[in-house]
Coordinates of all heavy atoms in Angstrom, one line a residue:
M60 N 0.8 -1.2 0.0 CA 0.0 0.0 0.0 C 0.9 1.2 0.0 O 1.8 1.3 0.8 CB -0.8 0.0 1.3 CG -2.0 -0.9 1.2 SD -2.9 -0.8 2.7 CE -3.1 -2.5 3.1
G61 N 0.5 2.2 -0.8 CA 1.3 3.4 -0.9 C 0.7 4.5 -0.1 O -0.3 4.4 0.5
Q62 N 1.5 5.6 -0.1 CA 1.0 6.8 0.5 C -0.3 7.1 -0.1 O -0.5 6.9 -1.3 CB 2.1 7.9 0.1 CG 2.2 9.0 1.1 CD 3.1 10.1 0.6 OE1 3.7 9.9 -0.5 NE2 3.1 11.2 1.3
N63 N -1.2 7.7 0.6 CA -2.5 8.1 0.1 C -3.6 7.0 0.0 O -4.6 7.2 -0.5 CB -2.5 8.9 -1.2 CG -1.7 10.2 -1.2 OD1 -1.7 10.8 -0.2 ND2 -1.0 10.5 -2.2
W64 N -3.2 5.8 0.4 CA -4.2 4.8 0.2 C -5.5 5.0 0.9 O -6.6 4.7 0.4 CB -3.6 3.4 0.4 CG -3.4 3.1 1.9 CD1 -2.3 3.3 2.6 CD2 -4.4 2.5 2.8 NE1 -2.5 2.9 3.9 CE2 -3.8 2.4 4.1 CE3 -5.7 2.1 2.7 CZ2 -4.4 1.9 5.2 CZ3 -6.4 1.6 3.8 CH2 -5.7 1.5 5.1
Q65 N -5.4 5.6 2.1 CA -6.7 5.9 2.8 C -7.6 6.8 2.0 O -8.8 6.7 2.1 CB -6.4 6.6 4.2 CG -5.6 5.8 5.2 CD -4.1 6.2 5.1 OE1 -3.6 6.5 4.1 NE2 -3.5 6.1 6.2
F66 N -6.9 7.6 1.3 CA -7.6 8.6 0.5 C -8.4 7.9 -0.6 O -9.6 8.2 -0.9 CB -6.5 9.4 -0.1 CG -6.9 10.8 -0.5 CD1 -7.1 11.8 0.4 CD2 -7.2 11.0 -1.9 CE1 -7.5 13.0 0.0 CE2 -7.6 12.2 -2.3 CZ -7.8 13.2 -1.3
I67 N -7.8 7.0 -1.3 CA -8.4 6.2 -2.3 C -9.5 5.4 -1.7 O -10.6 5.3 -2.2 CB -7.4 5.2 -3.0 CG1 -6.1 6.0 -3.4 CG2 -8.0 4.5 -4.2 CD1 -6.3 7.1 -4.3
Q68 N -9.2 4.8 -0.6 CA -10.3 4.0 0.1 C -11.5 4.8 0.4 O -12.6 4.4 0.2 CB -9.7 3.4 1.4 CG -10.5 2.3 1.9 CD -10.0 1.8 3.3 OE1 -9.6 2.6 4.1 NE2 -10.0 0.5 3.4
A69 N -11.3 6.0 0.9 CA -12.4 6.9 1.3 C -13.3 7.2 0.1 O -14.5 7.2 0.2 CB -11.9 8.2 2.0
H70 N -12.7 7.5 -1.1 CA -13.4 7.8 -2.2 C -14.0 6.7 -3.0 O -15.0 6.8 -3.7 CB -12.5 8.7 -3.2 CG -12.4 10.1 -2.8 ND1 -13.4 11.0 -3.0 CD2 -11.4 10.7 -2.2 CE1 -13.0 12.2 -2.6 NE2 -11.8 12.1 -2.1
C71 N -13.3 5.6 -3.0 CA -13.5 4.5 -4.0 C -14.2 3.3 -3.4 O -14.5 2.3 -4.1 CB -12.3 4.1 -4.7 SG -11.4 5.5 -5.5
T72 N -14.5 3.3 -2.1 CA -15.2 2.1 -1.6 C -16.5 2.4 -1.1 O -17.2 1.6 -0.4 CB -14.3 1.4 -0.5 OG1 -14.2 2.3 0.6 CG2 -13.0 1.0 -1.0
A73 N -17.0 3.6 -1.3 CA -18.4 4.0 -0.9 C -19.4 3.2 -1.6 O -20.5 2.9 -1.0 CB -18.6 5.5 -1.1
C74 N -19.2 2.9 -2.9 CA -20.3 2.2 -3.7 C -20.0 0.8 -4.0 O -20.9 0.0 -4.3 CB -20.5 2.9 -5.0 SG -20.8 4.7 -4.8
H75 N -18.7 0.4 -4.0 CA -18.4 -1.0 -4.3 C -17.2 -1.4 -3.5 O -16.5 -0.5 -2.9 CB -18.2 -1.2 -5.8 CG -17.3 -0.2 -6.4 ND1 -15.9 0.0 -6.2 CD2 -17.5 0.8 -7.4 CE1 -15.4 0.9 -6.9 NE2 -16.4 1.5 -7.6
S76 N -16.9 -2.7 -3.5 CA -15.7 -3.1 -2.7 C -14.4 -2.6 -3.3 O -14.4 -2.3 -4.5 CB -15.7 -4.6 -2.6 OG -14.9 -5.2 -3.6
A77 N -13.4 -2.6 -2.5 CA -12.1 -2.2 -3.0 C -11.6 -3.1 -4.0 O -10.8 -2.8 -4.9 CB -11.1 -2.0 -1.8
A78 N -12.1 -4.4 -4.0 CA -11.6 -5.4 -4.9 C -11.8 -5.0 -6.4 O -11.0 -5.3 -7.2 CB -12.2 -6.7 -4.6
I79 N -12.9 -4.3 -6.6 CA -13.2 -3.9 -8.0 C -12.1 -2.9 -8.5 O -11.9 -2.8 -9.7 CB -14.6 -3.3 -8.1 CG1 -15.2 -3.5 -9.5 CG2 -14.7 -1.8 -7.7 CD1 -16.7 -3.3 -9.5
V80 N -11.5 -2.2 -7.6 CA -10.4 -1.3 -7.9 C -9.1 -2.1 -8.1 O -8.5 -2.0 -9.1 CB -10.3 -0.2 -6.9 CG1 -9.1 0.7 -7.3 CG2 -11.5 0.6 -6.7
T81 N -8.8 -2.9 -7.0 CA -7.5 -3.5 -7.0 C -7.3 -4.6 -8.0 O -6.2 -5.0 -8.3 CB -7.2 -4.0 -5.6 OG1 -8.2 -5.0 -5.2 CG2 -7.2 -2.9 -4.6
Q82 N -8.5 -5.2 -8.5 CA -8.3 -6.3 -9.4 C -8.0 -5.7 -10.8 O -7.7 -6.5 -11.7 CB -9.5 -7.2 -9.4 CG -10.7 -6.6 -10.2 CD -12.0 -7.2 -9.8 OE1 -12.1 -8.2 -9.0 NE2 -13.1 -6.8 -10.4
N83 N -8.1 -4.4 -11.0 CA -7.9 -3.8 -12.3 C -6.4 -3.4 -12.5 O -5.8 -2.9 -11.6 CB -8.8 -2.6 -12.5 CG -10.2 -3.0 -13.1 OD1 -10.2 -3.3 -14.3 ND2 -11.2 -3.1 -12.3
R84 N -6.0 -3.5 -13.8 CA -4.7 -2.9 -14.2 C -5.0 -2.1 -15.4 O -5.4 -2.6 -16.4 CB -3.7 -4.0 -14.5 CG -3.3 -4.9 -13.3 CD -2.5 -4.1 -12.3 NE -2.1 -5.0 -11.2 CZ -2.9 -5.2 -10.1 NH1 -4.1 -4.6 -10.0 NH2 -2.5 -5.9 -9.1
M85 N -4.8 -0.8 -15.3 CA -5.1 0.1 -16.4 C -4.1 1.3 -16.5 O -3.5 1.6 -15.5 CB -6.5 0.7 -16.3 CG -7.7 -0.2 -16.1 SD -9.2 0.8 -16.2 CE -9.9 0.5 -14.6
S86 N -4.1 1.8 -17.7 CA -3.3 3.1 -17.9 C -4.0 4.2 -17.2 O -5.2 4.1 -16.9 CB -3.2 3.4 -19.3 OG -4.4 3.7 -19.9
R87 N -3.3 5.3 -17.0 CA -3.9 6.5 -16.4 C -5.1 6.9 -17.1 O -6.1 7.3 -16.6 CB -2.8 7.6 -16.4 CG -3.2 8.8 -15.6 CD -2.1 9.8 -15.7 NE -2.5 11.0 -15.0 CZ -2.2 11.2 -13.7 NH1 -1.4 10.4 -13.1 NH2 -2.7 12.3 -13.1
E88 N -5.0 6.9 -18.5 CA -6.1 7.3 -19.3 C -7.3 6.5 -19.1 O -8.5 6.9 -19.1 CB -5.7 7.3 -20.8 CG -4.6 8.3 -21.2 CD -3.3 8.0 -20.6 OE1 -2.9 6.8 -20.5 OE2 -2.6 9.0 -20.3
S89 N -7.1 5.2 -19.0 CA -8.2 4.3 -18.8 C -8.9 4.4 -17.4 O -10.1 4.4 -17.3 CB -7.8 2.8 -19.0 OG -7.2 2.6 -20.2
W90 N -8.0 4.7 -16.4 CA -8.6 5.0 -15.1 C -9.4 6.2 -15.2 O -10.5 6.3 -14.6 CB -7.4 5.1 -14.1 CG -6.9 3.8 -13.5 CD1 -5.6 3.3 -13.7 CD2 -7.6 2.9 -12.7 NE1 -5.5 2.1 -13.1 CE2 -6.7 1.8 -12.5 CE3 -8.9 2.8 -12.2 CZ2 -7.1 0.7 -11.7 CZ3 -9.2 1.7 -11.4 CH2 -8.3 0.7 -11.2
Q91 N -8.9 7.2 -15.8 CA -9.7 8.4 -15.9 C -11.0 8.2 -16.6 O -12.0 8.7 -16.2 CB -8.8 9.5 -16.6 CG -9.5 10.9 -16.5 CD -8.6 12.0 -17.0 OE1 -7.9 11.8 -18.0 NE2 -8.6 13.1 -16.3
A92 N -11.0 7.4 -17.7 CA -12.2 7.1 -18.4 C -13.2 6.4 -17.5 O -14.4 6.6 -17.6 CB -11.9 6.3 -19.7
S93 N -12.7 5.5 -16.7 CA -13.5 4.8 -15.7 C -14.2 5.7 -14.8 O -15.4 5.6 -14.5 CB -12.8 3.7 -14.9 OG -12.6 2.6 -15.6
L94 N -13.4 6.7 -14.3 CA -13.9 7.7 -13.4 C -15.0 8.5 -14.1 O -16.1 8.8 -13.5 CB -12.8 8.6 -12.8 CG -11.7 8.0 -12.0 CD1 -10.8 9.1 -11.4 CD2 -12.2 7.1 -10.9
R95 N -14.7 8.9 -15.3 CA -15.7 9.7 -16.1 C -17.0 8.9 -16.2 O -18.1 9.4 -16.1 CB -15.2 10.1 -17.4 CG -14.1 11.1 -17.4 CD -14.6 12.5 -17.1 NE -13.4 13.4 -16.9 CZ -12.7 13.5 -15.8 NH1 -13.1 12.8 -14.7 NH2 -11.7 14.3 -15.7
W96 N -16.9 7.6 -16.5 CA -18.0 6.8 -16.7 C -18.8 6.7 -15.4 O -20.1 6.9 -15.4 CB -17.6 5.4 -17.2 CG -18.8 4.4 -17.1 CD1 -19.8 4.3 -18.1 CD2 -19.1 3.4 -16.1 NE1 -20.6 3.3 -17.7 CE2 -20.2 2.8 -16.5 CE3 -18.4 3.1 -14.9 CZ2 -20.8 1.8 -15.8 CZ3 -19.0 2.1 -14.2 CH2 -20.2 1.4 -14.6
M97 N -18.1 6.5 -14.3 CA -18.9 6.5 -13.0 C -19.5 7.8 -12.7 O -20.6 7.8 -12.1 CB -17.9 6.0 -11.9 CG -17.7 4.5 -11.9 SD -16.6 4.0 -10.6 CE -15.0 4.4 -11.4
Q98 N -18.8 8.9 -13.1 CA -19.4 10.2 -12.8 C -20.7 10.4 -13.6 O -21.6 11.0 -13.1 CB -18.4 11.3 -13.1 CG -17.3 11.4 -11.9 CD -16.2 12.3 -12.2 OE1 -15.8 12.4 -13.4 NE2 -15.6 12.8 -11.2
K99 N -20.6 10.0 -14.9 CA -21.7 10.2 -15.8 C -22.9 9.3 -15.5 O -24.0 9.7 -15.4 CB -21.2 9.9 -17.2 CG -22.2 10.4 -18.3 CD -21.4 10.6 -19.6 CE -22.3 10.8 -20.8 NZ -22.8 9.6 -21.4
E100 N -22.6 8.0 -15.2 CA -23.7 7.0 -15.1 C -24.0 6.5 -13.7 O -25.0 6.0 -13.4 CB -23.3 5.7 -15.9 CG -22.9 6.0 -17.3 CD -24.1 6.2 -18.2 OE1 -25.2 5.9 -17.8 OE2 -23.9 6.8 -19.3
Q101 N -23.0 6.7 -12.8 CA -23.2 6.0 -11.5 C -23.2 6.9 -10.3 O -23.1 6.5 -9.1 CB -22.1 4.9 -11.3 CG -21.9 4.0 -12.4 CD -23.1 3.1 -12.6 OE1 -24.0 3.0 -11.8 NE2 -23.2 2.5 -13.8
G102 N -23.2 8.2 -10.5 CA -23.3 9.2 -9.4 C -22.1 9.4 -8.7 O -22.1 9.9 -7.5
L103 N -20.9 9.1 -9.2 CA -19.7 9.4 -8.6 C -19.5 10.9 -8.6 O -19.8 11.6 -9.6 CB -18.5 8.8 -9.3 CG -17.1 9.2 -8.8 CD1 -16.9 8.8 -7.4 CD2 -16.0 8.6 -9.7
W104 N -19.2 11.4 -7.4 CA -19.1 12.9 -7.2 C -17.9 13.5 -8.0 O -16.9 12.8 -8.2 CB -19.0 13.2 -5.7 CG -18.1 12.3 -5.0 CD1 -16.7 12.5 -4.9 CD2 -18.4 11.1 -4.3 NE1 -16.2 11.4 -4.2 CE2 -17.2 10.6 -3.8 CE3 -19.6 10.4 -4.1 CZ2 -17.2 9.4 -3.1 CZ3 -19.6 9.2 -3.4 CH2 -18.4 8.7 -2.9
P105 N -17.9 14.8 -8.2 CA -16.7 15.4 -8.8 C -15.6 15.3 -7.9 O -15.7 15.5 -6.7 CB -17.2 16.9 -9.0 CG -18.6 16.9 -8.8 CD -19.0 15.8 -8.0
L106 N -14.4 15.0 -8.4 CA -13.3 14.7 -7.5 C -12.4 16.0 -7.4 O -11.5 16.0 -6.5 CB -12.5 13.5 -8.0 CG -13.3 12.2 -7.9 CD1 -12.6 11.1 -8.7 CD2 -13.5 11.8 -6.5
G107 N -12.6 16.9 -8.3 CA -11.8 18.2 -8.2 C -10.3 17.9 -8.2 O -9.8 17.1 -9.0
Q108 N -9.6 18.6 -7.3 CA -8.1 18.4 -7.2 C -7.7 17.0 -6.8 O -6.6 16.6 -7.0 CB -7.6 19.5 -6.3 CG -7.8 20.9 -6.8 CD -7.1 21.9 -5.8 OE1 -7.1 21.7 -4.6 NE2 -6.6 22.9 -6.4
N109 N -8.6 16.4 -6.1 CA -8.3 15.0 -5.6 C -8.1 14.0 -6.7 O -7.5 13.0 -6.6 CB -9.4 14.5 -4.7 CG -9.5 15.4 -3.4 OD1 -8.5 16.0 -3.0 ND2 -10.6 15.4 -2.8
E110 N -8.7 14.4 -7.9 CA -8.6 13.4 -9.0 C -7.2 13.2 -9.4 O -6.8 12.0 -9.7 CB -9.4 13.9 -10.2 CG -9.4 12.9 -11.3 CD -10.2 13.3 -12.5 OE1 -11.5 13.4 -12.3 OE2 -9.7 13.6 -13.6
K111 N -6.4 14.2 -9.3 CA -5.0 14.0 -9.7 C -4.3 13.0 -8.7 O -3.6 12.1 -9.1 CB -4.2 15.4 -9.7 CG -2.8 15.3 -10.1 CD -2.1 16.6 -10.0 CE -0.6 16.4 -10.5 NZ 0.1 15.3 -9.9
I112 N -4.5 13.2 -7.4 CA -3.9 12.3 -6.4 C -4.4 10.9 -6.7 O -3.6 10.0 -6.6 CB -4.4 12.8 -5.0 CG1 -3.8 14.2 -4.7 CG2 -3.8 11.8 -4.0 CD1 -4.3 14.8 -3.5
I113 N -5.7 10.8 -6.9 CA -6.2 9.4 -7.1 C -5.6 8.8 -8.4 O -5.2 7.6 -8.4 CB -7.8 9.5 -7.2 CG1 -8.3 9.9 -5.8 CG2 -8.4 8.2 -7.7 CD1 -9.8 10.2 -5.8
L114 N -5.6 9.5 -9.5 CA -5.0 9.0 -10.7 C -3.6 8.7 -10.6 O -3.1 7.7 -11.1 CB -5.3 9.9 -11.9 CG -6.7 10.0 -12.4 CD1 -6.9 11.0 -13.5 CD2 -7.2 8.6 -12.9
D115 N -2.8 9.5 -9.9 CA -1.4 9.3 -9.7 C -1.3 7.9 -8.9 O -0.4 7.1 -9.3 CB -0.8 10.4 -8.8 CG -0.5 11.6 -9.5 OD1 -0.6 11.6 -10.8 OD2 -0.2 12.7 -8.9
Y116 N -2.1 7.7 -7.9 CA -2.0 6.5 -7.2 C -2.4 5.3 -8.0 O -1.6 4.3 -8.0 CB -2.9 6.6 -6.0 CG -2.8 5.5 -5.0 CD1 -2.0 5.6 -3.9 CD2 -3.5 4.3 -5.2 CE1 -1.9 4.5 -3.0 CE2 -3.4 3.2 -4.4 CZ -2.6 3.3 -3.3 OH -2.4 2.3 -2.4
L117 N -3.5 5.4 -8.7 CA -3.9 4.2 -9.5 C -2.9 3.9 -10.6 O -2.6 2.7 -10.8 CB -5.3 4.5 -10.1 CG -6.5 4.7 -9.1 CD1 -7.7 5.2 -9.8 CD2 -6.7 3.4 -8.4
A118 N -2.4 4.9 -11.2 CA -1.5 4.7 -12.3 C -0.2 4.0 -11.8 O 0.4 3.2 -12.4 CB -1.2 5.9 -13.1
K119 N 0.2 4.5 -10.6 CA 1.4 4.0 -10.0 C 1.3 2.5 -9.5 O 2.1 1.7 -9.8 CB 1.9 4.9 -8.9 CG 3.2 4.4 -8.2 CD 3.7 5.5 -7.3 CE 4.9 5.0 -6.6 NZ 5.3 5.9 -5.5
Y120 N 0.2 2.2 -8.8 CA 0.1 0.9 -8.2 C -0.7 0.0 -9.0 O -0.6 -1.3 -8.8 CB -0.5 1.1 -6.8 CG 0.5 1.8 -5.9 CD1 0.4 3.1 -5.6 CD2 1.6 1.1 -5.4 CE1 1.3 3.8 -4.8 CE2 2.6 1.7 -4.6 CZ 2.4 3.1 -4.3 OH 3.3 3.7 -3.5
Y121 N -1.6 0.5 -9.8 CA -2.5 -0.4 -10.6 C -2.4 -0.1 -12.1 O -3.3 -0.2 -12.8 CB -3.9 -0.3 -10.1 CG -4.0 -0.7 -8.6 CD1 -4.2 0.3 -7.6 CD2 -3.8 -2.0 -8.3 CE1 -4.2 -0.1 -6.3 CE2 -3.8 -2.4 -6.9 CZ -4.0 -1.4 -6.0 OH -4.0 -1.8 -4.6
G122 N -1.2 0.2 -12.5 CA -0.9 0.5 -13.9 C -0.7 -0.8 -14.7 O -0.5 -1.9 -14.1
P123 N -0.8 -0.8 -16.0 CA -0.7 -2.0 -16.8 C 0.7 -2.7 -16.7 O 0.7 -3.9 -16.9 CB -0.9 -1.5 -18.2 CG -0.6 0.0 -18.2 CD -0.9 0.4 -16.8
Q124 N 1.7 -2.0 -16.3 CA 3.0 -2.6 -16.2 C 3.2 -3.5 -15.0 O 4.1 -4.3 -14.9 CB 4.2 -1.6 -16.3 CG 4.4 -0.8 -15.1 CD 3.4 0.4 -15.0 OE1 2.4 0.4 -15.7 NE2 3.7 1.4 -14.2
T125 N 2.2 -3.2 -14.0 CA 2.3 -4.0 -12.8 C 1.7 -5.4 -13.1 O 0.5 -5.6 -13.2 CB 1.4 -3.4 -11.7 OG1 1.7 -2.0 -11.7 CG2 1.8 -3.9 -10.3
S126 N 2.5 -6.4 -13.3 CA 2.1 -7.7 -13.6 C 1.4 -8.3 -12.4 O 1.7 -8.1 -11.3 CB 3.3 -8.5 -14.1 OG 3.1 -9.8 -13.7
G127 N 0.4 -9.2 -12.7 CA -0.3 -9.9 -11.6 C 0.6 -10.9 -10.9 O 0.4 -11.3 -9.8
R128 N 1.7 -11.3 -11.6 CA 2.6 -12.3 -11.0 C 3.7 -11.6 -10.4 O 4.2 -10.6 -10.8 CB 3.2 -13.2 -12.1 CG 2.2 -14.1 -12.7 CD 2.9 -15.1 -13.6 NE 3.9 -15.8 -12.9 CZ 4.8 -16.7 -13.4 NH1 4.7 -16.9 -14.7 NH2 5.7 -17.3 -12.7
R129 N 4.2 -12.1 -9.3 CA 5.4 -11.6 -8.7 C 6.6 -12.0 -9.6 O 6.5 -12.9 -10.4 CB 5.6 -12.0 -7.3 CG 5.8 -13.5 -7.1 CD 6.3 -13.9 -5.8 NE 6.3 -15.3 -5.5 CZ 7.2 -16.1 -6.1 NH1 8.1 -15.7 -7.0 NH2 7.2 -17.4 -5.9
R130 N 7.7 -11.3 -9.4 CA 8.9 -11.6 -10.2 C 9.4 -13.0 -9.7 O 9.2 -13.4 -8.5 CB 9.9 -10.6 -10.0 CG 9.5 -9.3 -10.8 CD 10.3 -8.1 -10.4 NE 11.7 -8.3 -10.5 CZ 12.6 -7.4 -10.1 NH1 12.2 -6.3 -9.6 NH2 13.9 -7.6 -10.2
N131 N 10.1 -13.6 -10.6 CA 10.8 -14.9 -10.2 C 11.7 -14.7 -9.0 O 12.3 -13.6 -8.9 CB 11.5 -15.5 -11.4 CG 10.6 -16.0 -12.4 OD1 9.4 -16.3 -12.2 ND2 11.1 -16.0 -13.7
L132 N 11.9 -15.7 -8.3 CA 12.9 -15.6 -7.2 C 14.3 -15.6 -7.8 O 14.5 -16.3 -8.9 CB 12.8 -16.9 -6.3 CG 11.7 -17.0 -5.3 CD1 11.7 -18.4 -4.7 CD2 11.8 -15.9 -4.3
P133 N 15.2 -14.9 -7.2 CA 16.6 -15.0 -7.7 C 17.1 -16.4 -7.5 O 16.6 -17.1 -6.6 CB 17.4 -14.0 -6.8 CG 16.4 -13.5 -5.8 CD 15.0 -14.0 -6.1
T134 N 18.0 -16.8 -8.3 CA 18.4 -18.2 -8.3 C 18.9 -18.7 -7.0 O 18.6 -19.8 -6.5 CB 19.6 -18.4 -9.3 OG1 19.2 -17.7 -10.5 CG2 19.8 -19.9 -9.7
H135 N 19.6 -17.8 -6.3 CA 20.2 -18.3 -5.0 C 19.1 -18.5 -3.9 O 19.4 -19.0 -2.9 CB 21.3 -17.3 -4.5 CG 20.7 -16.0 -4.0 ND1 20.4 -14.9 -4.9 CD2 20.4 -15.5 -2.8 CE1 19.9 -13.9 -4.2 NE2 19.9 -14.2 -2.9
L136 N 17.9 -18.0 -4.2 CA 16.8 -18.3 -3.2 C 15.9 -19.4 -3.6 O 14.9 -19.8 -2.9 CB 15.9 -17.0 -3.1 CG 16.6 -15.8 -2.4 CD1 15.7 -14.6 -2.4 CD2 17.0 -16.2 -1.0
M137 N 16.1 -20.0 -4.8 CA 15.3 -21.1 -5.2 C 15.6 -22.3 -4.3 O 16.7 -22.6 -3.9 CB 15.7 -21.5 -6.7 CG 15.3 -20.4 -7.7 SD 13.5 -20.3 -7.8 CE 13.2 -21.4 -9.1
P138 N 14.6 -23.1 -4.1 CA 14.8 -24.4 -3.3 C 15.7 -25.3 -4.1 O 15.7 -25.4 -5.3 CB 13.4 -25.0 -3.2 CG 12.5 -24.2 -4.1 CD 13.2 -23.0 -4.6
T139 N 16.6 -26.0 -3.3 CA 17.4 -27.0 -3.9 C 17.0 -28.3 -3.6 O 16.2 -28.5 -2.6 CB 18.9 -26.8 -3.5 OG1 18.9 -26.9 -2.0 CG2 19.4 -25.4 -3.8
K140 N 17.4 -29.3 -4.4 CA 16.9 -30.7 -4.1 C 17.4 -31.2 -2.8 O 16.6 -31.9 -2.1 CB 17.4 -31.6 -5.2 CG 16.6 -31.4 -6.5 CD 16.7 -32.6 -7.5 CE 16.0 -32.4 -8.7 NZ 16.8 -32.2 -9.9
K141 N 18.6 -30.9 -2.4 CA 19.1 -31.5 -1.2 C 18.5 -30.9 0.1 O 18.7 -31.4 1.2 CB 20.6 -31.4 -1.2 CG 21.1 -30.0 -1.0 CD 22.7 -29.9 -1.0 CE 23.1 -28.5 -0.9 NZ 24.4 -28.1 -1.2
S142 N 17.7 -29.8 0.0 CA 17.2 -29.2 1.2 C 15.9 -29.9 1.7 O 15.1 -29.4 2.5 CB 16.9 -27.7 1.0 OG 15.8 -27.6 0.0
K143 N 15.6 -31.1 1.2 CA 14.5 -31.9 1.6 C 14.6 -32.4 3.0 O 15.6 -32.9 3.3 CB 14.2 -33.1 0.7 CG 13.1 -32.8 -0.3 CD 12.7 -34.0 -1.0 CE 12.0 -33.7 -2.4 NZ 11.9 -34.9 -3.2
Ligands
HEC50 C1 -21.0 6.9 -6.5 C2 -20.7 5.5 -6.5 C3 -19.3 5.1 -6.9 C4 -18.1 5.6 -6.4 C5 -17.9 6.6 -5.3 C6 -17.0 4.9 -7.1 N1 -17.6 4.0 -8.0 FE1 -16.5 2.7 -9.2 N2 -18.3 1.9 -9.9 C7 -19.5 2.3 -9.4 C8 -20.5 1.4 -10.0 C9 -22.0 1.5 -9.8 C10 -19.8 0.5 -10.8 C11 -20.3 -0.8 -11.5 C12 -20.3 -1.9 -10.5 C13 -20.6 -3.2 -11.0 O1 -20.7 -3.4 -12.2 O2 -20.8 -4.0 -10.1 C14 -18.4 0.8 -10.7 C15 -17.3 0.1 -11.3 C16 -16.0 0.4 -11.1 C17 -14.9 -0.2 -11.9 C18 -15.1 -1.3 -12.9 C19 -15.4 -0.6 -14.2 C20 -15.1 -1.3 -15.4 O3 -14.9 -0.6 -16.4 O4 -15.0 -2.6 -15.3 C21 -13.8 0.4 -11.5 C22 -12.4 0.0 -11.9 C23 -14.1 1.4 -10.5 N3 -15.5 1.4 -10.3 C24 -13.2 2.2 -9.9 C25 -13.5 3.2 -9.0 C26 -12.5 4.1 -8.4 C27 -11.1 4.1 -8.6 C28 -13.2 4.9 -7.5 C29 -12.7 6.0 -6.7 C30 -12.2 7.2 -7.4 C31 -14.6 4.5 -7.6 N4 -14.8 3.5 -8.5 C32 -15.7 5.1 -6.9 C33 -19.8 3.3 -8.6 C34 -18.9 4.1 -7.9

């Protein structure tokens, strides 16, 4: 969890679970488009200056480059056969 997560939680979990946010990986533009859609169709309030903070956060932690898989373990941390 990054700085400002409480902030995202306060704005983004009022109508749906946080999972709907955290399961997504999108570019900043797509996140913004989602916000616009919610504002237009779902009654999401205007975010004003907070929108930048929210988009910065989402793009950083839930951007498309963040792969769902963790990185491979470095070789020296891989289990070896003899450690059974
Ligand atoms: C005023 C209510 C409301 C608020 C606040 C809200 N949402 Fe939503 N959001 C919705 C609704 C309604 C849906 C559709 C839910 C469903 O399909 O179950 C949705 C769906 C979504 C989806 C899935 C959309 C898709 O294209 O698949 C994402 C991602 C999302 N919200 C992100 C956010 C984020 C990030 C915030 C905080 C800035 C937020 N929501 C705040 C109402 C809201």
Side-chain angles (χ1 to χ4, degrees):
M60 283 180 227
Q62 209 188 351
N63 296 329
W64 73 267
Q65 295 98 328
F66 203 79
I67 310 301
Q68 193 185 42
H70 279 283
C71 305
T72 61
C74 304
H75 47 67
S76 92
I79 208 166
V80 180
T81 60
Q82 77 198 359
N83 271 286
R84 296 291 179 274
M85 308 188 235
S86 67
R87 190 185 178 92
E88 292 68 36
S89 305
W90 277 114
Q91 189 169 39
S93 277
L94 298 188
R95 289 288 172 275
W96 171 78
M97 280 178 280
Q98 284 171 330
K99 195 160 169 274
E100 307 285 341
Q101 309 295 345
L103 174 61
W104 45 84
L106 297 167
Q108 294 183 325
N109 296 335
E110 183 173 297
K111 184 183 179 309
I112 299 172
I113 291 170
L114 286 176
D115 284 348
Y116 186 96
L117 293 170
K119 180 171 177 191
Y120 293 100
Y121 300 106
Q124 74 279 18
T125 317
S126 145
R128 291 190 55 185
R129 63 165 172 73
R130 286 163 57 187
N131 289 336
L132 284 173
T134 316
H135 72 278
L136 293 177
M137 292 293 269
T139 57
K140 285 202 180 108
K141 66 179 179 198
S142 68
K143 258 191 202 167

